Amino acid sequence: MIKKSLAVFTVAAAFFAQAQDVSTLRNTVDVYSNSSLGSSAKWNAMAGSAGALGGDATSLLNNPAGLGVAISSNIGGTLGLSNYKNVSSSGNQSTSFSNTMADLTNANGVASFQLLTETPWKFVNLGVNISSRNLDSYVETPGNANIIIPKDLEDSMGTPLAGNLSFLGHGYDRTGLQTKMSVGIGANYNHSLFLGAGLNFHSSNLEQFDTARFGLDLDNSVAQYDKQYTPFSELGSGFSASVGVIGKLNNQFRVGAALETPTWWQVERVYTDYFTDADGYISYETLAEDRTFTSPLKATLSAAFVPNKNFSLNVDYGIGLTKPKYKVQGPAETELNDFFDDHSTSGSEIKVGAEYRIKALRLRGGFAHAGNPFDAVTLSAYNNSGAISNQTFDNLILGSRNTVGLGAGYDFKSFYIDLAYQNMNSEYSNPFLFGSVINGSPRYATGYHSGNFDVSEEVSAVSSVKNSQNNLFLSLGWKF
């Protein structure tokens, strides 16, 4: 393994200095700490709120005790059609990008075993759930002619020249796939107490790009610059376990609780390192390293109201009990951990979902709100006029997220079909451009690089991003 010393974030007083690409922090929370992926059409229509209801293997996503609720075996699969749109605004301009993708988002099954004994134990059920999520996301920010960066250059004869670089645009581009496979067991005690446990196997495969465009006034040239340590690719595998319980207080009210251990990740990372060679030109080399990461321990509390066989209402509250943490192998992991210790929140989320049955027809709806994963942070940043000042952002890198789900299903006794629509939206402040020269040497500049130029200014540009996702899900299943 080749291990570089990568400076990431230096926290000082009321602000931090960004030294590595922001995508490292974003992916840590959005990919490696995200244990709740999309699932079946029913699950998505109810915004993932089913912690005290259960009934199929999708319960492994929030409370494995829901496996014990099942009274028949079943298998199902889900196709998903997803469209996302990112609108990034800066300098009184906006740029939008949208993309549509189709995937097999979920497959699950339960093998139900009725215990024909005189004991109170009624069923023991085994379940498997596989959920996947497309990681593709592209955020393009328009340029701002007011952001001018002075640059000392030389002509072919070595004569010093004073030029200016103008900021013409920036892009974060991520592609990849994330998968979570869960296997579990659930038990039914006298139809009043349900217990469950599960093992979860996580995997991810992503590529990340971070580029900026600048124009040079000396010759009116335009060039694309790559952020130090990008592009990079990561191949990760992880493991976690979960336990849960659901209890009937009476025929109408149920409560549930579940605990999922941290996910222990092993990540193989390949990245690009830029440096100034002996001739003064920017060169690069491809390096590799391994990282060990531990996501937060997560707890979920649930309550359900089931007044009759035709209506059910469920509320889930999930919260992270620990902080994200990298195994320290150098300054990079130390600074990452310091940032998460100082700025990450508990990552709480509340979900509400309901189902109403009219004979064989099912009508469903749900709402979920996930809070900001980071506290407010102060940066030295450009404003729209190009002036530099300390600015505070309460939704930096990733903001709070709202999810609304609607759906319907029809039960043909042995077969069922479910359809769901889901809208997700969030707004956040998107920092970029920051770079620094460590120990005064351009060899370790962490800014942007192209040809024989490097841009390493210890100031961020920050755009406002609105993300919206519109998803359709179709599930087919068989009960036996």
Side-chain angles (χ1 to χ4, degrees), residues 424-441:
M424 305 171 68
N425 63 82
S426 64
E427 296 184 20
Y428 60 92
S429 298
N430 179 45
F432 50 90
L433 286 193
F434 188 102
S436 62
V437 177
I438 303 173
N439 298 326
S441 171

Side-chain angles (χ1 to χ4, degrees), residues 201-269:
F201 304 91
H202 307 254
S203 64
S204 65
N205 189 349
L206 65 84
E207 287 188 280
Q208 182 77 55
F209 300 82
D210 182 341
T211 59
R213 286 188 301 116
F214 294 95
L216 179 63
D217 61 355
L218 293 178
D219 57 5
N220 294 320
S221 61
V222 174
Q224 177 171 294
Y225 292 66
D226 292 298
K227 183 74 164 70
Q228 176 67 302
Y229 312 128
T230 70
F232 65 79
S233 62
E234 293 182 346
L235 183 64
S237 61
F239 169 79
S240 66
S242 55
V243 294
V245 59
I246 297 174
K248 284 188 177 181
L249 302 180
N250 53 46
N251 289 333
Q252 294 183 331
F253 290 96
R254 306 177 186 181
V255 294
L259 193 68
E260 182 172 354
T261 70
T263 301
W264 294 280
W265 284 94
Q266 293 292 329
V267 180
E268 299 177 9
R269 176 181 171 95

Side-chain angles (χ1 to χ4, degrees), residues 298-310:
K298 182 180 179 181
T300 301
L301 300 176
S302 308
F305 175 56
V306 188
N308 51 56
K309 293 183 178 180
N310 296 325

Side-chain angles (χ1 to χ4, degrees), residues 7 28 55 98 114 185 227-228 250 267 290 298 309 314 318 329 334 342 386 401 443 461 466 470:
T28 298
S98 64
Q114 186 174 5
I185 184 171
K227 183 74 164 70
Q228 176 67 302
N250 53 46
V267 180
D290 297 329
K298 182 180 179 181
K309 293 183 178 180
N314 186 87
Q329 303 179 83
T334 297
D342 293 339
R401 183 183 71 250
R443 174 63 175 83
K466 294 182 179 181
N470 292 285

Side-chain angles (χ1 to χ4, degrees), residues 12-300:
F15 65 95
F16 68 82
Q18 178 192 342
Q20 155 103 312
D21 60 293
V22 174
S23 53
T24 298
L25 294 178
R26 178 179 290 117
N27 293 338
T28 298
V29 174
D30 188 36
V31 179
Y32 301 119
S33 300
N34 183 0
S35 62
S36 181
L37 284 68
S39 188
S40 66
K42 176 183 177 180
W43 195 92
N44 290 319
M46 298 176 66
S49 178
L53 294 176
D56 60 35
T58 62
S59 303
L60 290 165
L61 288 172
N62 44 20
N63 188 343
L67 278 176
V69 178
I71 58 175
S72 65
S73 300
N74 68 79
I75 58 173
T78 302
L79 291 174
L81 185 66
S82 177
N83 173 269
Y84 77 84
K85 182 179 181 181
N86 288 319
V87 180
S88 182
S89 301
S90 175
N92 300 317
Q93 300 182 72
S94 295
T95 301
S96 65
F97 179 86
S98 64
N99 192 25
T100 301
M101 300 157 289
D103 294 287
L104 178 63
T105 60
N106 180 258
N108 69 86
V110 172
S112 182
F113 302 94
Q114 186 174 5
L115 303 179
L116 301 176
T117 67
E118 298 299 325
T119 71
W121 294 100
K122 303 301 182 182
F123 288 88
V124 172
N125 303 326
L126 302 177
V128 177
N129 183 82
I130 303 173
S131 291
S132 65
R133 171 192 174 208
N134 197 306
L135 297 176
D136 289 15
S137 181
Y138 178 62
V139 180
E140 182 178 351
T141 299
N144 184 346
N146 295 322
I147 297 179
I148 302 295
I149 301 175
K151 188 66 179 175
D152 293 329
L153 307 170
E154 294 181 353
D155 63 15
S156 59
M157 302 299 293
T159 303
L161 299 174
N164 292 301
L165 293 172
S166 58
F167 170 58
L168 302 180
H170 177 270
Y172 283 116
D173 188 8
R174 184 182 70 191
T175 61
L177 182 70
Q178 181 182 7
T179 302
K180 179 181 180 181
M181 184 181 76
S182 303
V183 295
I185 184 171
N188 178 331
Y189 183 84
N190 205 29
H191 299 297
S192 60
L193 180 67
F194 307 92
L195 305 174
L199 301 177
N200 309 298
F201 304 91
H202 307 254
S203 64
S204 65
N205 189 349
L206 65 84
E207 287 188 280
Q208 182 77 55
F209 300 82
D210 182 341
T211 59
R213 286 188 301 116
F214 294 95
L216 179 63
D217 61 355
L218 293 178
D219 57 5
N220 294 320
S221 61
V222 174
Q224 177 171 294
Y225 292 66
D226 292 298
K227 183 74 164 70
Q228 176 67 302
Y229 312 128
T230 70
F232 65 79
S233 62
E234 293 182 346
L235 183 64
S237 61
F239 169 79
S240 66
S242 55
V243 294
V245 59
I246 297 174
K248 284 188 177 181
L249 302 180
N250 53 46
N251 289 333
Q252 294 183 331
F253 290 96
R254 306 177 186 181
V255 294
L259 193 68
E260 182 172 354
T261 70
T263 301
W264 294 280
W265 284 94
Q266 293 292 329
V267 180
E268 299 177 9
R269 176 181 171 95
V270 177
Y271 61 95
T272 307
D273 179 49
Y274 299 89
F275 60 94
T276 304
D277 62 22
D279 296 323
Y281 290 94
I282 302 297
S283 298
Y284 68 90
E285 57 184 340
T286 300
L287 300 175
E289 63 178 356
D290 297 329
R291 277 182 172 170
T292 300
F293 172 72
T294 303
S295 73
L297 170 70
K298 182 180 179 181
T300 301

